[in-house]
Amino acid sequence: MCRNITTLRGLEPSATAEEIEAASRQYVRKVTGIQSLSDQTREPFETAVAEITAITTRLLSELPARRQPPPTVPPLRRPEVQARIAAKAARAQ
């Protein structure tokens, strides 16, 4: 269902709060079909993201270590994504 969400358990270094929140946001987008927020969808959407982020953070902290690292690198660790984020931030300044 959520092909774009990468495995966060077993990353070295561990998944960051930003990576967990990004995965939660992608999950909520996928299950709701909401791509852009309106005044009516913003609060329930952001509440769901916060709740799923908290649950995921707790889950990852409670699971045992993986024997092997995940097969893919999370988007926020990919050079092309980091470059896109940096370019966007530069344009916003």
Coordinates of all heavy atoms in Angstrom, one line a residue:
M1 N 0.8 -1.2 0.0 CA 0.0 0.0 0.0 C 0.9 1.3 0.0 O 0.6 2.2 -0.8 CB -0.9 0.0 1.2 CG -1.8 1.2 1.3 SD -3.1 1.0 2.5 CE -2.9 2.5 3.4
C2 N 1.9 1.3 0.9 CA 2.7 2.5 1.0 C 4.1 2.2 0.5 O 5.0 2.1 1.2 CB 2.7 3.0 2.4 SG 1.1 3.6 3.0
R3 N 4.2 2.0 -0.8 CA 5.5 1.6 -1.4 C 6.6 2.7 -1.1 O 7.8 2.3 -1.1 CB 5.4 1.4 -2.9 CG 4.6 0.1 -3.2 CD 4.6 -0.1 -4.7 NE 3.8 1.0 -5.3 CZ 3.5 1.0 -6.5 NH1 4.0 0.2 -7.4 NH2 2.7 2.0 -7.0
N4 N 6.3 3.9 -1.0 CA 7.3 5.0 -0.8 C 7.8 5.1 0.6 O 8.7 5.9 0.9 CB 6.7 6.3 -1.3 CG 6.4 6.3 -2.8 OD1 7.0 5.5 -3.5 ND2 5.5 7.1 -3.2
I5 N 7.2 4.4 1.6 CA 7.7 4.5 2.9 C 8.8 3.5 3.1 O 8.6 2.3 2.9 CB 6.5 4.3 4.0 CG1 5.5 5.4 3.8 CG2 7.1 4.3 5.4 CD1 4.3 5.2 4.7
T6 N 9.9 3.9 3.5 CA 11.1 3.0 3.7 C 11.1 2.5 5.1 O 10.6 3.1 6.0 CB 12.4 3.7 3.3 OG1 12.5 4.9 4.1 CG2 12.4 4.1 1.8
T7 N 11.8 1.4 5.3 CA 12.0 0.8 6.6 C 12.9 1.7 7.4 O 14.0 2.1 7.0 CB 12.6 -0.6 6.5 OG1 11.8 -1.4 5.6 CG2 12.8 -1.2 7.8
L8 N 12.5 2.1 8.6 CA 13.3 2.9 9.5 C 14.0 2.1 10.6 O 15.0 2.6 11.1 CB 12.4 4.0 10.2 CG 11.7 4.9 9.2 CD1 10.8 5.9 10.0 CD2 12.7 5.7 8.4
R9 N 13.6 0.9 10.9 CA 14.2 0.1 11.9 C 15.5 -0.4 11.4 O 15.6 -1.0 10.3 CB 13.2 -1.0 12.3 CG 13.8 -1.9 13.4 CD 12.7 -2.9 13.8 NE 13.4 -4.1 14.5 CZ 13.3 -5.3 14.0 NH1 12.6 -5.6 13.0 NH2 13.9 -6.3 14.7
G10 N 16.5 -0.2 12.2 CA 17.8 -0.8 11.9 C 18.8 0.2 11.2 O 19.9 -0.2 10.8
L11 N 18.3 1.4 11.0 CA 19.2 2.4 10.4 C 20.4 2.7 11.3 O 20.3 2.7 12.5 CB 18.4 3.7 10.1 CG 17.3 3.6 9.0 CD1 16.6 5.0 9.0 CD2 17.9 3.3 7.7
E12 N 21.5 3.0 10.7 CA 22.7 3.5 11.4 C 23.1 4.8 10.8 O 23.5 4.8 9.6 CB 23.8 2.5 11.3 CG 23.6 1.3 12.1 CD 23.5 1.6 13.6 OE1 24.1 2.5 14.1 OE2 22.7 0.8 14.3
P13 N 23.1 5.9 11.5 CA 22.5 6.1 12.8 C 21.0 5.9 12.8 O 20.4 5.9 11.7 CB 22.9 7.5 13.2 CG 23.1 8.2 11.9 CD 23.5 7.2 10.9
S14 N 20.4 5.8 14.0 CA 19.0 5.5 14.1 C 18.2 6.6 13.4 O 18.6 7.7 13.1 CB 18.6 5.5 15.6 OG 19.3 4.5 16.2
A15 N 16.9 6.2 13.1 CA 16.0 7.1 12.4 C 15.8 8.4 13.3 O 15.7 8.3 14.5 CB 14.7 6.4 12.2
T16 N 15.8 9.5 12.6 CA 15.7 10.8 13.3 C 14.2 11.1 13.5 O 13.3 10.4 12.8 CB 16.3 11.9 12.5 OG1 15.6 12.1 11.2 CG2 17.8 11.7 12.2
A17 N 13.9 12.0 14.3 CA 12.5 12.4 14.5 C 11.9 12.9 13.2 O 10.7 12.7 12.9 CB 12.4 13.5 15.6
E18 N 12.7 13.6 12.4 CA 12.3 14.2 11.1 C 11.9 13.0 10.2 O 10.9 13.1 9.4 CB 13.4 15.1 10.6 CG 13.0 15.8 9.3 CD 14.1 16.7 8.8 OE1 15.3 16.4 9.1 OE2 13.8 17.6 8.0
E19 N 12.7 12.0 10.1 CA 12.5 10.8 9.3 C 11.2 10.1 9.7 O 10.4 9.7 8.8 CB 13.7 9.9 9.2 CG 14.9 10.5 8.5 CD 16.1 9.7 8.7 OE1 16.3 9.1 9.8 OE2 17.0 9.7 7.8
I20 N 11.0 9.9 11.0 CA 9.8 9.3 11.5 C 8.6 10.1 11.1 O 7.6 9.6 10.7 CB 9.9 9.0 13.0 CG1 11.0 8.0 13.2 CG2 8.6 8.5 13.5 CD1 11.4 7.8 14.7
E21 N 8.7 11.4 11.3 CA 7.5 12.3 11.0 C 7.2 12.3 9.5 O 6.1 12.3 9.1 CB 7.8 13.7 11.5 CG 6.6 14.6 11.5 CD 6.5 15.5 10.2 OE1 7.5 15.6 9.5 OE2 5.4 16.0 10.0
A22 N 8.3 12.3 8.7 CA 8.1 12.2 7.2 C 7.4 10.9 6.8 O 6.5 11.0 5.9 CB 9.4 12.4 6.5
A23 N 7.8 9.8 7.4 CA 7.1 8.5 7.1 C 5.6 8.5 7.5 O 4.8 8.1 6.8 CB 7.9 7.4 7.7
S24 N 5.4 9.1 8.7 CA 4.0 9.2 9.2 C 3.2 10.1 8.3 O 2.0 9.8 8.0 CB 4.0 9.8 10.6 OG 4.8 9.0 11.5
R25 N 3.7 11.2 7.9 CA 3.0 12.1 7.0 C 2.7 11.4 5.6 O 1.6 11.5 5.1 CB 3.9 13.3 6.7 CG 3.2 14.4 5.9 CD 4.0 15.7 6.0 NE 4.1 16.2 7.4 CZ 3.1 16.9 8.0 NH1 2.0 17.2 7.4 NH2 3.3 17.3 9.2
Q26 N 3.6 10.6 5.1 CA 3.4 9.9 3.9 C 2.3 8.9 4.1 O 1.4 8.7 3.2 CB 4.7 9.2 3.4 CG 4.5 8.4 2.1 CD 4.2 9.3 0.9 OE1 4.6 10.5 0.9 NE2 3.4 8.8 0.0
Y27 N 2.3 8.2 5.2 CA 1.3 7.2 5.5 C -0.1 7.9 5.5 O -1.1 7.4 4.9 CB 1.6 6.5 6.8 CG 0.4 5.6 7.3 CD1 0.3 4.3 6.7 CD2 -0.4 6.0 8.3 CE1 -0.8 3.5 7.1 CE2 -1.5 5.2 8.7 CZ -1.6 4.0 8.1 OH -2.7 3.2 8.5
V28 N -0.2 9.0 6.2 CA -1.5 9.7 6.4 C -2.0 10.2 5.0 O -3.2 10.1 4.6 CB -1.5 10.8 7.4 CG1 -2.8 11.6 7.4 CG2 -1.2 10.2 8.8
R29 N -1.1 10.7 4.2 CA -1.4 11.1 2.8 C -2.0 10.0 2.0 O -3.0 10.1 1.3 CB -0.2 11.7 2.1 CG 0.2 13.1 2.5 CD 1.3 13.6 1.5 NE 1.7 14.9 2.0 CZ 2.9 15.2 2.3 NH1 3.9 14.3 2.2 NH2 3.2 16.4 2.6
K30 N -1.3 8.8 2.1 CA -1.7 7.7 1.4 C -3.1 7.2 1.8 O -4.0 6.9 0.9 CB -0.7 6.5 1.5 CG -0.9 5.4 0.6 CD -0.7 5.7 -0.8 CE -0.6 4.4 -1.6 NZ -0.2 4.7 -3.0
V31 N -3.3 7.0 3.1 CA -4.6 6.4 3.5 C -5.8 7.4 3.4 O -6.9 6.9 3.2 CB -4.6 5.8 4.9 CG1 -3.5 4.7 5.0 CG2 -4.3 6.9 6.0
T32 N -5.5 8.7 3.4 CA -6.6 9.6 3.3 C -6.8 10.1 1.8 O -7.9 10.6 1.5 CB -6.4 10.9 4.2 OG1 -5.2 11.6 3.7 CG2 -6.2 10.5 5.6
G33 N -5.8 10.1 1.0 CA -5.9 10.6 -0.3 C -5.7 12.1 -0.3 O -5.9 12.8 -1.4
I34 N -5.3 12.7 0.8 CA -5.1 14.2 0.9 C -3.7 14.5 0.5 O -2.8 14.1 1.1 CB -5.4 14.7 2.3 CG1 -6.9 14.5 2.7 CG2 -5.1 16.2 2.5 CD1 -7.2 14.7 4.1
Q35 N -3.6 15.4 -0.5 CA -2.2 15.8 -0.9 C -2.0 17.3 -0.5 O -0.9 17.6 -0.3 CB -2.1 15.6 -2.5 CG -2.1 14.2 -2.9 CD -1.0 13.4 -2.2 OE1 0.1 13.7 -2.2 NE2 -1.4 12.2 -1.7
S36 N -3.0 18.1 -0.5 CA -2.9 19.5 -0.1 C -4.0 19.7 0.9 O -5.1 19.3 0.8 CB -3.0 20.4 -1.3 OG -4.2 20.3 -1.9
L37 N -3.6 20.4 2.0 CA -4.5 20.7 3.1 C -5.4 21.9 2.9 O -5.0 22.9 2.3 CB -3.7 20.8 4.4 CG -2.8 19.6 4.8 CD1 -1.9 20.0 6.0 CD2 -3.6 18.4 5.0
S38 N -6.6 21.7 3.4 CA -7.5 22.9 3.4 C -7.8 23.2 4.8 O -7.4 22.5 5.8 CB -8.8 22.4 2.7 OG -9.5 21.5 3.5
D39 N -8.6 24.2 5.1 CA -9.0 24.6 6.4 C -9.7 23.4 7.1 O -9.6 23.2 8.3 CB -9.8 25.9 6.5 CG -9.0 27.1 6.1 OD1 -7.7 27.0 6.2 OD2 -9.6 28.1 5.7
Q40 N -10.5 22.7 6.4 CA -11.3 21.6 6.9 C -10.4 20.3 7.2 O -10.7 19.6 8.1 CB -12.4 21.2 6.0 CG -13.5 22.3 5.9 CD -14.6 21.8 4.9 OE1 -14.3 21.2 3.9 NE2 -15.8 22.2 5.3
T41 N -9.4 20.1 6.5 CA -8.6 18.9 6.6 C -7.3 19.1 7.5 O -6.8 18.1 8.0 CB -8.2 18.3 5.3 OG1 -7.4 19.3 4.6 CG2 -9.4 18.0 4.4
R42 N -6.9 20.3 7.6 CA -5.6 20.6 8.3 C -5.5 20.0 9.7 O -4.6 19.2 10.0 CB -5.3 22.0 8.3 CG -3.9 22.4 8.9 CD -3.5 23.8 8.8 NE -4.0 24.5 7.5 CZ -3.3 24.4 6.3 NH1 -2.3 23.6 6.3 NH2 -3.8 25.0 5.3
E43 N -6.4 20.3 10.6 CA -6.4 19.8 12.0 C -6.4 18.3 12.1 O -5.6 17.7 12.8 CB -7.4 20.5 12.8 CG -7.3 20.2 14.3 CD -8.3 20.9 15.2 OE1 -8.9 21.9 14.7 OE2 -8.5 20.4 16.3
P44 N -7.4 17.6 11.5 CA -7.4 16.2 11.6 C -6.2 15.5 11.0 O -5.7 14.5 11.5 CB -8.7 15.7 11.0 CG -9.3 16.9 10.3 CD -8.6 18.1 10.8
F45 N -5.7 16.0 9.9 CA -4.6 15.5 9.2 C -3.3 15.6 10.1 O -2.6 14.6 10.4 CB -4.3 16.2 7.9 CG -3.2 15.7 7.1 CD1 -3.4 14.8 6.1 CD2 -1.9 16.2 7.3 CE1 -2.4 14.3 5.3 CE2 -0.9 15.7 6.5 CZ -1.1 14.7 5.5
E46 N -3.1 16.8 10.6 CA -1.9 17.0 11.5 C -2.0 16.3 12.8 O -1.0 15.8 13.3 CB -1.7 18.5 11.7 CG -1.4 19.3 10.5 CD -0.1 18.9 9.8 OE1 0.8 18.3 10.5 OE2 0.1 19.2 8.6
T47 N -3.2 16.1 13.3 CA -3.4 15.3 14.6 C -3.0 13.9 14.3 O -2.3 13.2 15.1 CB -4.8 15.4 15.1 OG1 -5.1 16.8 15.4 CG2 -5.1 14.6 16.3
A48 N -3.5 13.3 13.2 CA -3.1 12.0 12.8 C -1.6 11.8 12.6 O -1.1 10.8 13.1 CB -3.9 11.6 11.5
V49 N -1.0 12.7 11.9 CA 0.5 12.7 11.7 C 1.2 12.6 13.1 O 2.1 11.8 13.3 CB 1.0 13.8 10.9 CG1 2.5 13.9 10.9 CG2 0.5 13.7 9.4
A50 N 0.8 13.5 14.0 CA 1.4 13.6 15.3 C 1.2 12.3 16.1 O 2.2 11.7 16.7 CB 0.9 14.7 16.1
E51 N 0.0 11.7 16.0 CA -0.3 10.5 16.8 C 0.5 9.3 16.2 O 1.1 8.5 16.9 CB -1.7 10.2 16.8 CG -2.5 11.1 17.6 CD -4.0 10.9 17.5 OE1 -4.5 10.1 16.7 OE2 -4.8 11.7 18.2
I52 N 0.6 9.2 14.9 CA 1.3 8.1 14.2 C 2.8 8.3 14.4 O 3.5 7.3 14.6 CB 0.9 8.0 12.7 CG1 -0.5 7.6 12.6 CG2 1.9 7.1 12.0 CD1 -1.1 7.7 11.2
T53 N 3.3 9.5 14.4 CA 4.7 9.7 14.7 C 5.1 9.3 16.1 O 6.1 8.6 16.3 CB 5.0 11.2 14.6 OG1 4.8 11.6 13.2 CG2 6.5 11.5 14.9
A54 N 4.2 9.6 17.1 CA 4.5 9.1 18.5 C 4.4 7.6 18.6 O 5.3 7.0 19.2 CB 3.4 9.8 19.4
I55 N 3.4 7.0 18.0 CA 3.3 5.5 18.0 C 4.5 4.9 17.3 O 5.1 3.9 17.9 CB 2.0 5.1 17.3 CG1 0.8 5.5 18.2 CG2 2.0 3.6 17.1 CD1 -0.5 5.4 17.5
T56 N 5.0 5.4 16.2 CA 6.1 4.8 15.5 C 7.4 5.0 16.3 O 8.2 4.1 16.3 CB 6.2 5.5 14.1 OG1 5.0 5.3 13.4 CG2 7.4 4.9 13.3
T57 N 7.6 6.2 16.9 CA 8.7 6.4 17.7 C 8.8 5.4 18.8 O 9.9 4.8 19.1 CB 8.7 7.8 18.3 OG1 8.7 8.8 17.2 CG2 9.9 8.1 19.1
R58 N 7.7 5.2 19.5 CA 7.6 4.2 20.6 C 7.9 2.8 20.1 O 8.7 2.1 20.7 CB 6.3 4.3 21.3 CG 6.3 3.4 22.6 CD 4.9 3.5 23.3 NE 4.0 2.7 22.6 CZ 2.8 3.1 22.1 NH1 2.4 4.3 22.3 NH2 2.0 2.3 21.5
L59 N 7.3 2.5 19.0 CA 7.5 1.1 18.4 C 8.9 0.8 18.1 O 9.5 -0.2 18.4 CB 6.6 1.0 17.2 CG 6.7 -0.3 16.4 CD1 6.3 -1.5 17.2 CD2 5.9 -0.3 15.1
L60 N 9.6 1.8 17.4 CA 11.0 1.6 17.0 C 11.9 1.5 18.3 O 12.8 0.7 18.2 CB 11.4 2.7 16.1 CG 10.8 2.8 14.7 CD1 11.3 4.0 14.0 CD2 11.2 1.5 13.9
S61 N 11.5 2.2 19.3 CA 12.4 2.1 20.5 C 12.2 0.8 21.3 O 13.1 0.3 22.0 CB 12.1 3.3 21.5 OG 10.8 3.1 22.1
E62 N 11.0 0.1 21.1 CA 10.7 -1.1 21.8 C 11.1 -2.4 21.1 O 11.2 -3.4 21.7 CB 9.2 -1.1 22.2 CG 8.8 -0.1 23.2 CD 7.3 0.0 23.4 OE1 6.5 -0.8 22.8 OE2 6.9 0.8 24.2
L63 N 11.3 -2.3 19.8 CA 11.7 -3.5 19.0 C 13.1 -3.8 19.2 O 14.0 -2.9 19.4 CB 11.4 -3.2 17.5 CG 9.9 -3.2 17.1 CD1 9.8 -2.7 15.7 CD2 9.2 -4.5 17.3
P64 N 13.5 -5.1 19.1 CA 14.9 -5.5 19.2 C 15.6 -5.0 17.9 O 15.0 -4.7 16.9 CB 14.8 -7.0 19.2 CG 13.5 -7.4 18.6 CD 12.6 -6.3 18.9
A65 N 16.9 -5.0 18.0 CA 17.8 -4.6 16.9 C 17.6 -5.5 15.7 O 17.3 -6.7 15.9 CB 19.2 -4.5 17.3
R66 N 17.7 -5.0 14.5 CA 17.7 -5.8 13.3 C 19.0 -6.5 13.1 O 20.1 -6.0 13.5 CB 17.4 -4.9 12.1 CG 16.0 -4.5 11.9 CD 15.9 -3.6 10.7 NE 16.2 -4.4 9.5 CZ 15.4 -4.6 8.5 NH1 14.2 -4.1 8.5 NH2 15.7 -5.3 7.4
R67 N 19.0 -7.6 12.5 CA 20.2 -8.4 12.2 C 20.9 -7.8 11.0 O 22.1 -7.9 10.8 CB 19.9 -9.8 11.9 CG 19.4 -10.5 13.2 CD 19.1 -12.0 13.0 NE 18.5 -12.5 14.1 CZ 18.1 -13.7 14.3 NH1 18.3 -14.6 13.3 NH2 17.5 -14.1 15.4
Q68 N 20.1 -7.2 10.0 CA 20.7 -6.6 8.8 C 20.1 -5.2 8.7 O 18.9 -5.0 9.1 CB 20.3 -7.4 7.6 CG 20.9 -8.8 7.6 CD 20.4 -9.6 6.4 OE1 19.9 -9.0 5.4 NE2 20.6 -10.9 6.4
P69 N 20.8 -4.3 8.1 CA 20.3 -3.0 7.8 C 19.1 -3.0 6.8 O 19.0 -4.0 6.0 CB 21.4 -2.2 7.3 CG 22.4 -3.2 6.8 CD 22.2 -4.4 7.6
P70 N 18.2 -2.0 6.8 CA 17.2 -2.0 5.8 C 17.7 -2.0 4.4 O 18.8 -1.5 4.2 CB 16.4 -0.8 6.1 CG 17.0 -0.1 7.3 CD 18.2 -0.9 7.7
P71 N 17.0 -2.5 3.4 CA 17.4 -2.6 2.0 C 17.5 -1.3 1.3 O 18.2 -1.1 0.3 CB 16.4 -3.5 1.4 CG 15.2 -3.4 2.2 CD 15.6 -3.1 3.6
T72 N 16.8 -0.3 1.8 CA 16.8 1.0 1.1 C 17.1 2.2 2.1 O 16.9 2.0 3.3 CB 15.4 1.3 0.5 OG1 14.4 1.3 1.5 CG2 15.0 0.3 -0.6
V73 N 17.5 3.3 1.6 CA 17.9 4.5 2.4 C 16.6 5.4 2.4 O 16.0 5.6 1.4 CB 19.1 5.2 1.7 CG1 19.4 6.5 2.5 CG2 20.3 4.3 1.7
P74 N 16.3 5.9 3.6 CA 15.1 6.8 3.7 C 15.3 8.0 2.8 O 16.5 8.5 2.6 CB 15.1 7.2 5.1 CG 15.8 6.1 5.9 CD 16.9 5.7 4.9
P75 N 14.3 8.6 2.2 CA 14.4 9.7 1.4 C 15.2 10.9 1.9 O 16.0 11.5 1.2 CB 13.0 10.2 1.1 CG 12.2 8.9 1.3 CD 12.9 8.1 2.4
L76 N 15.0 11.2 3.2 CA 15.7 12.4 3.8 C 17.3 12.1 3.9 O 18.0 13.1 4.1 CB 15.2 12.7 5.2 CG 13.7 13.2 5.1 CD1 13.2 13.5 6.5 CD2 13.6 14.5 4.3
R77 N 17.7 10.9 3.6 CA 19.2 10.6 3.6 C 19.7 10.5 2.2 O 20.9 10.4 2.0 CB 19.5 9.3 4.4 CG 19.1 9.4 5.8 CD 19.6 8.2 6.6 NE 19.1 8.3 8.0 CZ 19.5 7.5 8.9 NH1 20.4 6.5 8.7 NH2 19.1 7.7 10.2
R78 N 18.9 10.7 1.2 CA 19.3 10.6 -0.2 C 19.9 11.9 -0.6 O 19.2 13.0 -0.5 CB 18.2 10.1 -1.1 CG 17.7 8.7 -0.7 CD 16.5 8.3 -1.5 NE 16.0 7.1 -1.0 CZ 14.7 6.7 -1.2 NH1 13.9 7.4 -2.0 NH2 14.3 5.5 -0.7
P79 N 21.0 12.0 -1.3 CA 21.6 13.2 -1.7 C 20.7 14.1 -2.6 O 20.7 15.3 -2.5 CB 22.9 12.8 -2.5 CG 23.2 11.4 -2.0 CD 21.9 10.8 -1.6
E80 N 20.0 13.4 -3.5 CA 19.1 14.2 -4.4 C 18.0 14.9 -3.7 O 17.6 16.0 -4.0 CB 18.6 13.3 -5.6 CG 17.7 12.2 -5.2 CD 18.3 10.9 -4.7 OE1 19.5 10.9 -4.5 OE2 17.6 9.9 -4.6
V81 N 17.5 14.2 -2.6 CA 16.4 14.8 -1.8 C 17.0 15.9 -1.0 O 16.4 17.0 -0.9 CB 15.7 13.8 -1.0 CG1 14.7 14.4 0.0 CG2 15.0 12.7 -1.9
Q82 N 18.1 15.7 -0.4 CA 18.8 16.8 0.4 C 19.1 18.0 -0.5 O 18.9 19.1 0.0 CB 20.1 16.3 1.0 CG 19.8 15.2 2.1 CD 21.1 14.7 2.6 OE1 22.2 14.8 2.1 NE2 21.0 13.9 3.7
A83 N 19.5 17.8 -1.7 CA 19.8 18.9 -2.6 C 18.5 19.7 -2.9 O 18.5 20.9 -3.0 CB 20.4 18.4 -3.9
R84 N 17.4 18.9 -3.2 CA 16.1 19.6 -3.5 C 15.6 20.4 -2.3 O 15.1 21.5 -2.5 CB 15.1 18.5 -3.9 CG 13.9 19.0 -4.5 CD 13.0 17.9 -5.2 NE 12.6 16.9 -4.2 CZ 12.9 15.6 -4.4 NH1 13.5 15.1 -5.4 NH2 12.5 14.7 -3.5
I85 N 15.8 19.9 -1.1 CA 15.3 20.6 0.1 C 16.2 21.8 0.3 O 15.7 22.9 0.6 CB 15.4 19.7 1.4 CG1 14.4 18.6 1.3 CG2 15.3 20.5 2.7 CD1 14.5 17.5 2.3
A86 N 17.5 21.7 0.1 CA 18.4 22.9 0.3 C 18.1 24.0 -0.8 O 18.0 25.2 -0.4 CB 19.9 22.5 0.1
A87 N 17.8 23.6 -2.0 CA 17.4 24.5 -3.1 C 16.1 25.2 -2.7 O 16.0 26.5 -2.9 CB 17.3 23.8 -4.4
K88 N 15.2 24.5 -2.2 CA 13.9 25.1 -1.8 C 14.1 26.1 -0.7 O 13.5 27.2 -0.7 CB 12.9 24.0 -1.4 CG 11.5 24.4 -1.1 CD 10.6 23.3 -0.8 CE 9.2 23.7 -0.6 NZ 8.3 22.6 -0.3
A89 N 14.9 25.7 0.3 CA 15.2 26.6 1.4 C 15.9 27.9 1.0 O 15.6 29.0 1.5 CB 16.0 25.9 2.5
A90 N 16.8 27.7 0.0 CA 17.5 28.9 -0.5 C 16.6 29.9 -1.2 O 16.7 31.1 -1.1 CB 18.7 28.4 -1.4
R91 N 15.6 29.3 -2.0 CA 14.7 30.1 -2.7 C 13.7 30.9 -1.7 O 13.3 32.0 -2.0 CB 13.8 29.3 -3.7 CG 14.6 28.9 -4.9 CD 13.6 28.3 -6.0 NE 12.8 27.2 -5.5 CZ 13.2 25.9 -5.6 NH1 14.3 25.6 -6.2 NH2 12.4 24.9 -5.1
A92 N 13.5 30.3 -0.6 CA 12.5 30.8 0.4 C 13.2 32.0 1.1 O 12.5 32.8 1.7 CB 12.1 29.8 1.4
Q93 N 14.5 32.1 1.1 CA 15.2 33.2 1.9 C 15.2 34.4 1.1 O 15.1 34.8 0.1 CB 16.6 32.8 2.2 CG 16.6 31.7 3.3 CD 18.0 31.3 3.6 OE1 19.0 31.7 3.0 NE2 18.1 30.3 4.5

